[in-house]
Amino acid sequence: MASQVTSPHEIIYTRIWTAIAERKLRPGTQLKEEQLAELFSVSRARVRQALAALERDGLVTIFRNRGAFVSEPSIEEARDVFFARRMIEARLVERLSAAPTRDAIDRLRKHLELEKLAHHAQDRKAIIHLSGEFHLLIAELAGSRYLWQVLRDLISRTSLITAVYQSHDTTSCGPDEHGLIVDAIAKGDAAHANHLMDHHLEHIETALDLREEKTRSTDLRDILT
């Protein structure tokens, strides 16, 4: 459902968004306009456009006279994000379970195979990317462009939250729980699919240590090139 990226500020936005979603750009990392302009061969005005869009989506915080930084979500925000995801994703799995098509289930199962391969290879970058894509695929197949867009931003914020609050460098979102959700959708069992999705998101949230904040700064040149 994502539209084709063409303009310079959209390219910058997408590259930064992806780096955040894959947990390569850590919360608290400064996004220097001059460095970004050099990396993407654009004017600082284009960079400011992208940073402003990222700020509107809650992924970047811009401080006067200090610059832009990857946002550092609070514990309260972390809980709100998971609450919002539960509400939205319950609606999506219910909608998809109401009339699951063969094509939809085939796409979900093919995606699960990619997740299993990534886990087997211990490819952390692919694991993180595919885990988020699974949830977005459900939104796409459920036919809600609006909820897909909202969920896309929530998943990116989840990556920020995980980067700050997860005790160990592991991911709780994997093909086993995803597989159970797909099985319930394929059977048209909306109530069970809803229950499994809620349990799955609770599992991810409870893996977080919401008592301690951890940040790490990383050089933009290494991340975005």
Side-chain angles (χ1 to χ4, degrees):
M1 278 194 181
S3 59
Q4 186 177 4
V5 175
T6 54
S7 69
H9 78 270
E10 288 178 320
I11 292 171
I12 298 167
Y13 177 101
T14 301
R15 290 280 291 279
I16 293 175
W17 184 94
T18 300
I20 290 171
E22 293 178 350
R23 300 176 207 162
K24 292 163 65 179
L25 260 179
R26 308 291 289 188
T29 300
Q30 186 173 9
L31 302 170
K32 298 178 181 179
E33 286 185 14
E34 184 176 358
Q35 189 175 13
L36 289 169
E38 179 185 348
L39 287 172
F40 291 99
S41 300
V42 297
S43 68
R44 293 179 67 169
R46 294 290 192 184
V47 170
R48 283 192 289 271
Q49 276 186 286
L51 293 177
L54 288 160
E55 184 181 38
R56 286 194 297 272
D57 290 341
L59 302 179
V60 165
T61 303
I62 300 175
F63 298 97
R64 186 175 181 181
N65 299 323
R66 287 183 57 202
F69 296 79
V70 178
S71 296
E72 300 184 72
S74 66
I75 289 173
E76 181 180 4
E77 181 181 342
R79 291 173 175 155
D80 285 346
V81 165
F82 278 101
F83 175 80
R85 285 193 63 176
R86 284 193 183 94
M87 297 301 101
I88 290 169
E89 297 197 55
R91 171 63 176 156
L92 291 170
V93 295
E94 286 173 1
R95 181 183 294 187
L96 187 54
S97 298
T101 65
R102 182 184 296 275
D103 178 66
I105 299 306
D106 284 347
R107 288 184 63 187
L108 286 167
R109 294 206 188 281
K110 286 177 182 177
H111 189 91
L112 289 176
E113 289 303 314
L114 294 176
E115 287 193 60
K116 290 175 183 177
L117 289 172
H119 276 264
H120 181 73
Q122 297 183 338
D123 184 342
R124 178 159 179 77
K125 179 179 178 180
I127 289 169
I128 293 170
H129 175 75
L130 290 166
S131 294
E133 285 297 314
F134 172 80
H135 294 265
L136 289 175
L137 180 57
I138 286 179
E140 177 185 341
L141 295 172
S144 174
R145 178 176 293 277
Y146 174 72
L147 291 182
W148 183 92
Q149 292 172 332
V150 173
L151 185 59
R152 181 180 187 270
D153 291 336
L154 287 172
I155 287 172
S156 189
R157 293 194 195 195
T158 301
S159 293
L160 281 175
I161 290 163
T162 302
V164 175
Y165 296 111
Q166 195 163 25
S167 299
H168 304 287
D169 196 27
T170 58
T171 180
S172 302
C173 192
D176 293 338
E177 292 184 3
H178 288 175
L180 293 174
I181 294 167
V182 173
D183 289 343
I185 292 171
K187 294 175 183 176
D189 191 341
H192 191 45
N194 189 345
H195 170 76
L196 289 169
M197 180 62 80
D198 187 74
H199 174 75
H200 174 54
L201 293 172
E202 182 182 10
H203 181 195
I204 299 170
E205 184 178 3
T206 55
L208 305 177
D209 181 357
L210 296 179
R211 299 167 299 170
E212 181 180 5
E213 184 172 311
K214 304 173 183 179
T215 61
R216 181 181 68 191
S217 180
T218 313
D219 187 84
L220 291 182
R221 192 175 303 279
D222 294 333
I223 293 168
L224 296 174
T225 57

